[in-house]
Amino acid sequence: MILFRYLVREVLLTLTAVSAVLLLIILGGRFIGLFQDVAEGSLSLDFLWTLLLLQFPSVLELILPLGFFLSVMLTYGRLYQENEMGVLMACGFSPNRLLSYTLMTGLLVASVVASFSLWLTPWSESRVAQILEEQKQRVDFSTIKPGRFQEFSGGQVVYTEELTDSNTRMHTVFLSQEVTDDDGQKRTAVFKAEQGYQYLDATTGSRYLVLENGSRTEGRAGLGDFSLLTFERYAVRMSERKATTISYKVRQMPTSAVWNSDKIEHQAAFQWRISLPLMVIVVTMIAVPLSYVRPRQGRFAKLFPAIFLHIFYLSGLISVQGMIEKGKLDPAVGLWVVHGVFLMIAAYLLLKEPVANMFKSSGLRGQEV
């Protein structure tokens, strides 16, 4: 048990470090995308960190198999290079027991990945869709920043000097939008008003900007056909929504909804969710023989080929899932064929360079215990 705890601790510590680096890289890119939406005014700053945290399950379910694969190779590669593994074998530690210990650790990681792929990721995806839909239907100006020109859909540009009443009323408002004449000519309409507020029509789902005490100037640049209109109240439609219900995609549906479904996209989604934890077990059997390095070979000698092997594995799963969704492959064959191919690769590596014979080159050969 002492050796088991030692090996598990070393592998999990390396897994934590590798996964943290990969998580930081991927979430950094997504944070930039979300922050850009905030800067453009299409997303409220209040939802930035919530949406970023909801990205964790979908990211972790992908990087944990790779992180565990690399952690096994890095940890065991160091033990081989420093002859610690050879000493363990000389003291009677069975090489086959090394494989069994690694598989036990792999089952622990696979259970964590399964909790993400089968439950947490669909829940987080549906929650993100719900937040974005609620954000679109809010009747305040949470995405508008005072003193800044911000562009909305349809080429509309809005500016306000001040927001009051919990971001529900604008003061000193400027609005520019393009309108189309009966003859198809586009003209620019510019609104200036003392105050403004938003109104959401519950019947049609359209959102209006209601302006008070202002003027409307319309015309085409370079021509003298401008018209001027003053008003006490004027409603400008900002957007039109045909429905307020959320349309859930397959990846946002709970696993119970895609379980035993007759739809091929549901079957492909369920096989994908099962494939991620299964992938952890397969790459474990590949990592153990690949982690063996000779003393003068260097612990990183097989690292880059192993990364490409994992990329091919993941790319194969994604490609086959797409083929199932398009009806080009029978779901009965499905993603299992990809796992079968890499299981054969694992068996080939174990037979080509059996775990029990890895230490012949160093003269240290363990006995079965």
Side-chain angles (χ1 to χ4, degrees), residues 12-26:
L12 292 183
L13 286 176
T14 307
L15 171 62
T16 302
V18 172
S19 299
V21 173
L22 295 175
L23 186 66
L24 182 62
I25 294 174
I26 297 176

Side-chain angles (χ1 to χ4, degrees), residues 346-363:
Y348 170 76
L349 292 174
L350 289 171
L351 292 175
K352 178 184 177 182
E353 194 171 25
V355 180
N357 298 323
M358 284 182 178
F359 298 91
K360 286 183 177 180
S361 60
S362 62

Side-chain angles (χ1 to χ4, degrees), residues 206-228:
S206 298
R207 185 172 55 172
Y208 295 87
L209 174 59
V210 181
L211 302 175
E212 297 178 340
N213 300 325
S215 63
R216 177 182 186 270
T217 304
E218 180 182 328
R220 285 183 290 177
L223 300 178
D225 59 347
F226 284 88
S227 62
L228 178 62

Side-chain angles (χ1 to χ4, degrees), residues 32 76 140 193 330:
I32 293 175
Y76 292 174
D140 62 8
D330 187 355

